[in-house]
């Protein structure tokens, strides 16, 4: 691009006269170049300028929302010799607060585990970590005892347990469904007074989580503006030296479950980003094409939408289409 064209592009941006780039590769590279700057603006605390004044309205709310900020992991003890630790203890040091243990999940879901269930889930975690720690880069850092490198490697991930049951409040259990999550954690959902939400009539609203399992969730989404989710997920798996099947796209239920458990456990909404989170959940309207379900989170509240194909970024609604990958080695 020559100097005059560049100057005209800047003037057009200032005047909100935006035209699409014809070169798809250039658009892709530019999108990735500006994403860190956009994320920094989203997550940086207010400066001493007018942005702080504009934020006071939020601060003065009667009920403070949990902020979508990221705290650096902290631990007040000297780092141990990693080779001398069991895999679960290694995970506690690597993930710090982002390792959500069974006791925390149990308290959030109000679903008590029997001793037998606890043993089964701990054994599943040990097998999960054993596979994770065999990955080449991870194994090399573990062998060298390089804890900072491991913490950096997993800095954007969250280790949690997806449980297929919820407590019913009287000692019993209910299947983990979107309907039951909405009843239990109503503060995470928008309320409608006169009519139900559109998705309450859809089959996926009452479909249960198929199984309990440990997962590694990335809290940074993969932008799907120019590449379909499966291609982005496949490339993501390759960065971990895994097959494409190891990186999965969430269902709407898994997406919302992760947001709630993360918010309740950490007091932070790490998935609350400028993203239309595209899920594998779909539904039909008549005989036409299937509608895909996607979610958006803002001020803790989770909105559920449906669309044929992927949602688009718009100047009036600056949300990128993306996926939050789940890694299951």
């Amino acid at each position: 691009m020559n100097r005059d064209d560049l100057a005209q592009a800047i003037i057009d941006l200032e005047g909100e006269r935006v035209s699409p780039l014809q070169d798809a590769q250039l658009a892709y590279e530019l999108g990735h170049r500006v994403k860190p700057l956009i994320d920094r603006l989203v997550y940086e605390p207010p400066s001493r300028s007018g942005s702080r004044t504009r934020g006071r309205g939020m601060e003065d709310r009667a009920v403070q929302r949990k902020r979508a900020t990221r705290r650096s992991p902290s631990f007040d003890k000297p780092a141990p010799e990693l080779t001398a630790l069991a895999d679960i203890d290694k995970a506690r040091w690597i993930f710090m607060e982002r390792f959500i243990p069974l006791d925390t999940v149990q308290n959030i879901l109000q679903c008590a585990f029997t001793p037998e269930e606890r043993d089964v889930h701990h054994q599943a975690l040990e097998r999960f970590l054993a596979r994770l720690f065999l990955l080449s880069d991870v194994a090399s850092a573990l062998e060298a005892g390089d804890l900072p490198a491991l913490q950096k490697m997993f800095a954007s991930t969250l280790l949690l347990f997806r449980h297929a049951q919820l407590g019913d409040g009287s000692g019993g259990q209910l299947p983990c469904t979107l309907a039951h999550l909405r009843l239990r954690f109503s503060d995470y959902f928008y309320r409608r007074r006169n009519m139900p939400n559109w998705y309450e009539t859809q089959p996926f609203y009452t479909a249960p989580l198929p199984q309990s399992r440990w997962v590694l969730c990335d809290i940074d989404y993969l932008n799907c503006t120019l590449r379909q989710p499966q291609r982005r997920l496949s490339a993501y798996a390759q960065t971990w030296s895994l097959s494409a099947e190891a990186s999965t796209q969430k269902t709407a239920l898994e997406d919302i479950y992760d947001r709630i458990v993360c918010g309740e456990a950490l007091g932070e909404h790490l998935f609350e980003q400028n993203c239309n989170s595209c899920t594998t959940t779909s539904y039909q309207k008549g005989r036409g094409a299937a509608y895909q379900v996607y979610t958006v989170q803002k001020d803790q509240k989770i909105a559920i939408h449906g669309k044929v194909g992927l949602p688009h970024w718009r100047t009036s609604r600056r949300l990128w289409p993306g996926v939050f990958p789940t890694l299951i080695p």
Side-chain angles (χ1 to χ4, degrees), residues 13-41:
L13 285 173
E14 270 192 326
E16 297 186 355
R17 295 185 297 274
V18 182
S19 58
L21 292 173
Q22 300 301 320
D23 189 332
Q25 183 61 32
L26 176 60
Y28 178 80
E29 292 175 358
L30 288 175
H32 276 272
R33 180 66 63 87
V34 302
K35 182 179 182 299
L37 302 177
I38 295 172
D39 290 343
R40 191 181 307 164
L41 291 173

PDB file of all heavy atoms in Angstrom, residues 13-41:
ATOM      1  N   LEU A  13     -11.229   5.403   8.073  1.00  0.00           N
ATOM      2  CA  LEU A  13     -11.485   4.814   9.389  1.00  0.00           C
ATOM      3  C   LEU A  13     -11.964   5.867  10.374  1.00  0.00           C
ATOM      4  O   LEU A  13     -12.879   5.621  11.167  1.00  0.00           O
ATOM      5  CB  LEU A  13     -10.211   4.143   9.918  1.00  0.00           C
ATOM      6  CG  LEU A  13      -9.840   2.812   9.283  1.00  0.00           C
ATOM      7  CD1 LEU A  13      -8.474   2.359   9.778  1.00  0.00           C
ATOM      8  CD2 LEU A  13     -10.884   1.753   9.607  1.00  0.00           C
ATOM      9  N   GLU A  14     -11.342   7.048  10.336  1.00  0.00           N
ATOM     10  CA  GLU A  14     -11.757   8.129  11.229  1.00  0.00           C
ATOM     11  C   GLU A  14     -13.194   8.537  10.951  1.00  0.00           C
ATOM     12  O   GLU A  14     -13.963   8.841  11.868  1.00  0.00           O
ATOM     13  CB  GLU A  14     -10.837   9.343  11.056  1.00  0.00           C
ATOM     14  CG  GLU A  14      -9.634   9.321  11.982  1.00  0.00           C
ATOM     15  CD  GLU A  14      -8.925  10.676  11.972  1.00  0.00           C
ATOM     16  OE1 GLU A  14      -8.898  11.331  10.918  1.00  0.00           O
ATOM     17  OE2 GLU A  14      -8.410  11.065  13.028  1.00  0.00           O
ATOM     18  N   GLY A  15     -13.582   8.547   9.688  1.00  0.00           N
ATOM     19  CA  GLY A  15     -14.941   8.931   9.314  1.00  0.00           C
ATOM     20  C   GLY A  15     -15.914   7.784   9.312  1.00  0.00           C
ATOM     21  O   GLY A  15     -17.034   7.932   8.835  1.00  0.00           O
ATOM     22  N   GLU A  16     -15.475   6.617   9.849  1.00  0.00           N
ATOM     23  CA  GLU A  16     -16.304   5.406   9.917  1.00  0.00           C
ATOM     24  C   GLU A  16     -16.804   4.988   8.542  1.00  0.00           C
ATOM     25  O   GLU A  16     -17.908   4.468   8.381  1.00  0.00           O
ATOM     26  CB  GLU A  16     -17.477   5.591  10.884  1.00  0.00           C
ATOM     27  CG  GLU A  16     -17.030   5.820  12.322  1.00  0.00           C
ATOM     28  CD  GLU A  16     -18.199   5.849  13.297  1.00  0.00           C
ATOM     29  OE1 GLU A  16     -19.353   5.786  12.834  1.00  0.00           O
ATOM     30  OE2 GLU A  16     -17.947   5.929  14.506  1.00  0.00           O
ATOM     31  N   ARG A  17     -15.960   5.229   7.521  1.00  0.00           N
ATOM     32  CA  ARG A  17     -16.267   4.746   6.171  1.00  0.00           C
ATOM     33  C   ARG A  17     -15.388   3.521   5.933  1.00  0.00           C
ATOM     34  O   ARG A  17     -14.254   3.622   5.454  1.00  0.00           O
ATOM     35  CB  ARG A  17     -15.985   5.839   5.141  1.00  0.00           C
ATOM     36  CG  ARG A  17     -16.876   7.071   5.278  1.00  0.00           C
ATOM     37  CD  ARG A  17     -16.631   8.056   4.146  1.00  0.00           C
ATOM     38  NE  ARG A  17     -15.276   8.580   4.160  1.00  0.00           N
ATOM     39  CZ  ARG A  17     -14.894   9.631   4.877  1.00  0.00           C
ATOM     40  NH1 ARG A  17     -15.771  10.280   5.641  1.00  0.00           N
ATOM     41  NH2 ARG A  17     -13.646  10.046   4.840  1.00  0.00           N
ATOM     42  N   VAL A  18     -15.913   2.385   6.317  1.00  0.00           N
ATOM     43  CA  VAL A  18     -15.132   1.151   6.284  1.00  0.00           C
ATOM     44  C   VAL A  18     -15.556   0.312   5.095  1.00  0.00           C
ATOM     45  O   VAL A  18     -16.740   0.039   4.907  1.00  0.00           O
ATOM     46  CB  VAL A  18     -15.338   0.341   7.591  1.00  0.00           C
ATOM     47  CG1 VAL A  18     -14.482  -0.913   7.568  1.00  0.00           C
ATOM     48  CG2 VAL A  18     -14.989   1.204   8.796  1.00  0.00           C
ATOM     49  N   SER A  19     -14.585  -0.095   4.300  1.00  0.00           N
ATOM     50  CA  SER A  19     -14.859  -0.985   3.164  1.00  0.00           C
ATOM     51  C   SER A  19     -14.057  -2.264   3.353  1.00  0.00           C
ATOM     52  O   SER A  19     -12.963  -2.246   3.923  1.00  0.00           O
ATOM     53  CB  SER A  19     -14.456  -0.305   1.851  1.00  0.00           C
ATOM     54  OG  SER A  19     -13.080   0.055   1.881  1.00  0.00           O
ATOM     55  N   PRO A  20     -14.585  -3.385   2.909  1.00  0.00           N
ATOM     56  CA  PRO A  20     -13.881  -4.661   3.129  1.00  0.00           C
ATOM     57  C   PRO A  20     -12.593  -4.741   2.319  1.00  0.00           C
ATOM     58  O   PRO A  20     -12.490  -4.203   1.211  1.00  0.00           O
ATOM     59  CB  PRO A  20     -14.899  -5.703   2.650  1.00  0.00           C
ATOM     60  CG  PRO A  20     -15.790  -4.970   1.703  1.00  0.00           C
ATOM     61  CD  PRO A  20     -15.865  -3.556   2.214  1.00  0.00           C
ATOM     62  N   LEU A  21     -11.591  -5.422   2.883  1.00  0.00           N
ATOM     63  CA  LEU A  21     -10.350  -5.664   2.163  1.00  0.00           C
ATOM     64  C   LEU A  21     -10.568  -6.764   1.132  1.00  0.00           C
ATOM     65  O   LEU A  21     -11.188  -7.782   1.418  1.00  0.00           O
ATOM     66  CB  LEU A  21      -9.240  -6.080   3.140  1.00  0.00           C
ATOM     67  CG  LEU A  21      -8.750  -4.996   4.109  1.00  0.00           C
ATOM     68  CD1 LEU A  21      -7.779  -5.593   5.108  1.00  0.00           C
ATOM     69  CD2 LEU A  21      -8.062  -3.870   3.348  1.00  0.00           C
ATOM     70  N   GLN A  22     -10.046  -6.560  -0.052  1.00  0.00           N
ATOM     71  CA  GLN A  22     -10.204  -7.550  -1.112  1.00  0.00           C
ATOM     72  C   GLN A  22      -9.238  -8.719  -0.943  1.00  0.00           C
ATOM     73  O   GLN A  22      -9.523  -9.839  -1.341  1.00  0.00           O
ATOM     74  CB  GLN A  22      -9.982  -6.887  -2.480  1.00  0.00           C
ATOM     75  CG  GLN A  22     -10.950  -5.752  -2.761  1.00  0.00           C
ATOM     76  CD  GLN A  22     -12.395  -6.213  -2.717  1.00  0.00           C
ATOM     77  OE1 GLN A  22     -12.726  -7.294  -3.193  1.00  0.00           O
ATOM     78  NE2 GLN A  22     -13.252  -5.384  -2.148  1.00  0.00           N
ATOM     79  N   ASP A  23      -8.084  -8.444  -0.341  1.00  0.00           N
ATOM     80  CA  ASP A  23      -7.058  -9.475  -0.144  1.00  0.00           C
ATOM     81  C   ASP A  23      -7.357 -10.227   1.155  1.00  0.00           C
ATOM     82  O   ASP A  23      -7.159  -9.709   2.253  1.00  0.00           O
ATOM     83  CB  ASP A  23      -5.675  -8.816  -0.074  1.00  0.00           C
ATOM     84  CG  ASP A  23      -4.545  -9.843  -0.081  1.00  0.00           C
ATOM     85  OD1 ASP A  23      -4.771 -10.985   0.373  1.00  0.00           O
ATOM     86  OD2 ASP A  23      -3.440  -9.495  -0.525  1.00  0.00           O
ATOM     87  N   ALA A  24      -7.834 -11.475   1.031  1.00  0.00           N
ATOM     88  CA  ALA A  24      -8.228 -12.233   2.224  1.00  0.00           C
ATOM     89  C   ALA A  24      -7.042 -12.511   3.137  1.00  0.00           C
ATOM     90  O   ALA A  24      -7.159 -12.464   4.365  1.00  0.00           O
ATOM     91  CB  ALA A  24      -8.890 -13.554   1.802  1.00  0.00           C
ATOM     92  N   GLN A  25      -5.876 -12.811   2.572  1.00  0.00           N
ATOM     93  CA  GLN A  25      -4.708 -13.103   3.398  1.00  0.00           C
ATOM     94  C   GLN A  25      -4.270 -11.862   4.165  1.00  0.00           C
ATOM     95  O   GLN A  25      -3.893 -11.942   5.344  1.00  0.00           O
ATOM     96  CB  GLN A  25      -3.560 -13.615   2.517  1.00  0.00           C
ATOM     97  CG  GLN A  25      -2.312 -14.022   3.286  1.00  0.00           C
ATOM     98  CD  GLN A  25      -2.571 -15.148   4.256  1.00  0.00           C
ATOM     99  OE1 GLN A  25      -3.409 -16.000   3.994  1.00  0.00           O
ATOM    100  NE2 GLN A  25      -1.872 -15.164   5.381  1.00  0.00           N
ATOM    101  N   LEU A  26      -4.300 -10.694   3.502  1.00  0.00           N
ATOM    102  CA  LEU A  26      -3.939  -9.447   4.180  1.00  0.00           C
ATOM    103  C   LEU A  26      -4.910  -9.163   5.320  1.00  0.00           C
ATOM    104  O   LEU A  26      -4.503  -8.776   6.424  1.00  0.00           O
ATOM    105  CB  LEU A  26      -3.952  -8.290   3.178  1.00  0.00           C
ATOM    106  CG  LEU A  26      -3.695  -6.890   3.760  1.00  0.00           C
ATOM    107  CD1 LEU A  26      -2.333  -6.821   4.420  1.00  0.00           C
ATOM    108  CD2 LEU A  26      -3.828  -5.828   2.675  1.00  0.00           C
ATOM    109  N   ALA A  27      -6.214  -9.384   5.082  1.00  0.00           N
ATOM    110  CA  ALA A  27      -7.208  -9.166   6.133  1.00  0.00           C
ATOM    111  C   ALA A  27      -6.957 -10.086   7.318  1.00  0.00           C
ATOM    112  O   ALA A  27      -7.064  -9.682   8.480  1.00  0.00           O
ATOM    113  CB  ALA A  27      -8.613  -9.391   5.569  1.00  0.00           C
ATOM    114  N   TYR A  28      -6.618 -11.329   7.021  1.00  0.00           N
ATOM    115  CA  TYR A  28      -6.341 -12.304   8.097  1.00  0.00           C
ATOM    116  C   TYR A  28      -5.143 -11.852   8.923  1.00  0.00           C
ATOM    117  O   TYR A  28      -5.172 -11.866  10.159  1.00  0.00           O
ATOM    118  CB  TYR A  28      -6.093 -13.668   7.464  1.00  0.00           C
ATOM    119  CG  TYR A  28      -5.756 -14.753   8.446  1.00  0.00           C
ATOM    120  CD1 TYR A  28      -6.763 -15.383   9.182  1.00  0.00           C
ATOM    121  CD2 TYR A  28      -4.442 -15.169   8.637  1.00  0.00           C
ATOM    122  CE1 TYR A  28      -6.468 -16.381  10.082  1.00  0.00           C
ATOM    123  CE2 TYR A  28      -4.143 -16.168   9.538  1.00  0.00           C
ATOM    124  CZ  TYR A  28      -5.148 -16.786  10.260  1.00  0.00           C
ATOM    125  OH  TYR A  28      -4.844 -17.769  11.157  1.00  0.00           O
ATOM    126  N   GLU A  29      -4.043 -11.450   8.249  1.00  0.00           N
ATOM    127  CA  GLU A  29      -2.832 -11.036   8.963  1.00  0.00           C
ATOM    128  C   GLU A  29      -3.072  -9.762   9.773  1.00  0.00           C
ATOM    129  O   GLU A  29      -2.597  -9.631  10.904  1.00  0.00           O
ATOM    130  CB  GLU A  29      -1.692 -10.835   7.972  1.00  0.00           C
ATOM    131  CG  GLU A  29      -1.228 -12.148   7.324  1.00  0.00           C
ATOM    132  CD  GLU A  29      -0.181 -11.917   6.254  1.00  0.00           C
ATOM    133  OE1 GLU A  29       0.153 -10.732   5.993  1.00  0.00           O
ATOM    134  OE2 GLU A  29       0.302 -12.906   5.670  1.00  0.00           O
ATOM    135  N   LEU A  30      -3.820  -8.824   9.198  1.00  0.00           N
ATOM    136  CA  LEU A  30      -4.110  -7.588   9.929  1.00  0.00           C
ATOM    137  C   LEU A  30      -4.968  -7.859  11.152  1.00  0.00           C
ATOM    138  O   LEU A  30      -4.765  -7.260  12.218  1.00  0.00           O
ATOM    139  CB  LEU A  30      -4.803  -6.580   9.006  1.00  0.00           C
ATOM    140  CG  LEU A  30      -3.934  -5.925   7.936  1.00  0.00           C
ATOM    141  CD1 LEU A  30      -4.784  -5.051   7.038  1.00  0.00           C
ATOM    142  CD2 LEU A  30      -2.825  -5.098   8.565  1.00  0.00           C
ATOM    143  N   GLY A  31      -5.949  -8.766  10.996  1.00  0.00           N
ATOM    144  CA  GLY A  31      -6.799  -9.112  12.132  1.00  0.00           C
ATOM    145  C   GLY A  31      -5.993  -9.664  13.290  1.00  0.00           C
ATOM    146  O   GLY A  31      -6.213  -9.301  14.450  1.00  0.00           O
ATOM    147  N   HIS A  32      -5.044 -10.546  12.985  1.00  0.00           N
ATOM    148  CA  HIS A  32      -4.215 -11.110  14.054  1.00  0.00           C
ATOM    149  C   HIS A  32      -3.241 -10.080  14.622  1.00  0.00           C
ATOM    150  O   HIS A  32      -2.861 -10.148  15.789  1.00  0.00           O
ATOM    151  CB  HIS A  32      -3.458 -12.325  13.530  1.00  0.00           C
ATOM    152  CG  HIS A  32      -4.272 -13.574  13.569  1.00  0.00           C
ATOM    153  ND1 HIS A  32      -4.325 -14.397  14.669  1.00  0.00           N
ATOM    154  CD2 HIS A  32      -5.118 -14.118  12.662  1.00  0.00           C
ATOM    155  CE1 HIS A  32      -5.137 -15.408  14.435  1.00  0.00           C
ATOM    156  NE2 HIS A  32      -5.632 -15.257  13.219  1.00  0.00           N
ATOM    157  N   ARG A  33      -2.846  -9.113  13.779  1.00  0.00           N
ATOM    158  CA  ARG A  33      -1.920  -8.086  14.264  1.00  0.00           C
ATOM    159  C   ARG A  33      -2.590  -7.150  15.265  1.00  0.00           C
ATOM    160  O   ARG A  33      -1.983  -6.752  16.251  1.00  0.00           O
ATOM    161  CB  ARG A  33      -1.385  -7.288  13.076  1.00  0.00           C
ATOM    162  CG  ARG A  33      -0.395  -6.182  13.439  1.00  0.00           C
ATOM    163  CD  ARG A  33       0.893  -6.758  14.003  1.00  0.00           C
ATOM    164  NE  ARG A  33       1.588  -7.567  13.026  1.00  0.00           N
ATOM    165  CZ  ARG A  33       2.454  -7.089  12.129  1.00  0.00           C
ATOM    166  NH1 ARG A  33       2.727  -5.800  12.106  1.00  0.00           N
ATOM    167  NH2 ARG A  33       3.046  -7.890  11.295  1.00  0.00           N
ATOM    168  N   VAL A  34      -3.851  -6.799  15.013  1.00  0.00           N
ATOM    169  CA  VAL A  34      -4.513  -5.828  15.891  1.00  0.00           C
ATOM    170  C   VAL A  34      -5.212  -6.486  17.076  1.00  0.00           C
ATOM    171  O   VAL A  34      -5.569  -5.804  18.030  1.00  0.00           O
ATOM    172  CB  VAL A  34      -5.539  -4.971  15.112  1.00  0.00           C
ATOM    173  CG1 VAL A  34      -4.875  -4.239  13.968  1.00  0.00           C
ATOM    174  CG2 VAL A  34      -6.684  -5.818  14.607  1.00  0.00           C
ATOM    175  N   LYS A  35      -5.417  -7.830  17.034  1.00  0.00           N
ATOM    176  CA  LYS A  35      -6.138  -8.492  18.125  1.00  0.00           C
ATOM    177  C   LYS A  35      -5.483  -8.248  19.485  1.00  0.00           C
ATOM    178  O   LYS A  35      -6.174  -7.940  20.469  1.00  0.00           O
ATOM    179  CB  LYS A  35      -6.270  -9.997  17.863  1.00  0.00           C
ATOM    180  CG  LYS A  35      -7.051 -10.724  18.951  1.00  0.00           C
ATOM    181  CD  LYS A  35      -7.171 -12.204  18.648  1.00  0.00           C
ATOM    182  CE  LYS A  35      -7.993 -12.903  19.731  1.00  0.00           C
ATOM    183  NZ  LYS A  35      -7.391 -12.813  21.069  1.00  0.00           N
ATOM    184  N   PRO A  36      -4.128  -8.382  19.648  1.00  0.00           N
ATOM    185  CA  PRO A  36      -3.538  -8.097  20.971  1.00  0.00           C
ATOM    186  C   PRO A  36      -3.800  -6.674  21.447  1.00  0.00           C
ATOM    187  O   PRO A  36      -3.989  -6.438  22.641  1.00  0.00           O
ATOM    188  CB  PRO A  36      -2.042  -8.350  20.744  1.00  0.00           C
ATOM    189  CG  PRO A  36      -1.973  -9.273  19.577  1.00  0.00           C
ATOM    190  CD  PRO A  36      -3.112  -8.875  18.699  1.00  0.00           C
ATOM    191  N   LEU A  37      -3.834  -5.711  20.520  1.00  0.00           N
ATOM    192  CA  LEU A  37      -4.095  -4.322  20.910  1.00  0.00           C
ATOM    193  C   LEU A  37      -5.537  -4.162  21.375  1.00  0.00           C
ATOM    194  O   LEU A  37      -5.808  -3.466  22.369  1.00  0.00           O
ATOM    195  CB  LEU A  37      -3.824  -3.390  19.727  1.00  0.00           C
ATOM    196  CG  LEU A  37      -2.408  -3.440  19.146  1.00  0.00           C
ATOM    197  CD1 LEU A  37      -2.299  -2.539  17.938  1.00  0.00           C
ATOM    198  CD2 LEU A  37      -1.388  -3.016  20.205  1.00  0.00           C
ATOM    199  N   ILE A  38      -6.463  -4.824  20.669  1.00  0.00           N
ATOM    200  CA  ILE A  38      -7.872  -4.756  21.071  1.00  0.00           C
ATOM    201  C   ILE A  38      -8.063  -5.405  22.431  1.00  0.00           C
ATOM    202  O   ILE A  38      -8.734  -4.874  23.313  1.00  0.00           O
ATOM    203  CB  ILE A  38      -8.766  -5.432  20.011  1.00  0.00           C
ATOM    204  CG1 ILE A  38      -8.701  -4.649  18.691  1.00  0.00           C
ATOM    205  CG2 ILE A  38     -10.204  -5.531  20.505  1.00  0.00           C
ATOM    206  CD1 ILE A  38      -9.387  -5.331  17.535  1.00  0.00           C
ATOM    207  N   ASP A  39      -7.445  -6.589  22.621  1.00  0.00           N
ATOM    208  CA  ASP A  39      -7.562  -7.277  23.907  1.00  0.00           C
ATOM    209  C   ASP A  39      -6.993  -6.440  25.041  1.00  0.00           C
ATOM    210  O   ASP A  39      -7.521  -6.408  26.142  1.00  0.00           O
ATOM    211  CB  ASP A  39      -6.848  -8.626  23.862  1.00  0.00           C
ATOM    212  CG  ASP A  39      -7.577  -9.634  22.986  1.00  0.00           C
ATOM    213  OD1 ASP A  39      -8.764  -9.384  22.698  1.00  0.00           O
ATOM    214  OD2 ASP A  39      -6.961 -10.643  22.600  1.00  0.00           O
ATOM    215  N   ARG A  40      -5.880  -5.726  24.753  1.00  0.00           N
ATOM    216  CA  ARG A  40      -5.284  -4.884  25.790  1.00  0.00           C
ATOM    217  C   ARG A  40      -6.228  -3.754  26.182  1.00  0.00           C
ATOM    218  O   ARG A  40      -6.368  -3.416  27.355  1.00  0.00           O
ATOM    219  CB  ARG A  40      -3.956  -4.307  25.281  1.00  0.00           C
ATOM    220  CG  ARG A  40      -3.118  -3.639  26.372  1.00  0.00           C
ATOM    221  CD  ARG A  40      -1.837  -3.081  25.777  1.00  0.00           C
ATOM    222  NE  ARG A  40      -1.126  -4.097  25.018  1.00  0.00           N
ATOM    223  CZ  ARG A  40      -0.155  -3.813  24.159  1.00  0.00           C
ATOM    224  NH1 ARG A  40       0.181  -2.560  23.920  1.00  0.00           N
ATOM    225  NH2 ARG A  40       0.452  -4.794  23.517  1.00  0.00           N
ATOM    226  N   LEU A  41      -6.910  -3.171  25.191  1.00  0.00           N
ATOM    227  CA  LEU A  41      -7.878  -2.111  25.499  1.00  0.00           C
ATOM    228  C   LEU A  41      -9.050  -2.657  26.304  1.00  0.00           C
ATOM    229  O   LEU A  41      -9.579  -1.999  27.195  1.00  0.00           O
ATOM    230  CB  LEU A  41      -8.391  -1.488  24.206  1.00  0.00           C
ATOM    231  CG  LEU A  41      -7.384  -0.648  23.409  1.00  0.00           C
ATOM    232  CD1 LEU A  41      -7.991  -0.253  22.068  1.00  0.00           C
ATOM    233  CD2 LEU A  41      -6.978   0.590  24.187  1.00  0.00           C
TER     234      LEU A  41
END
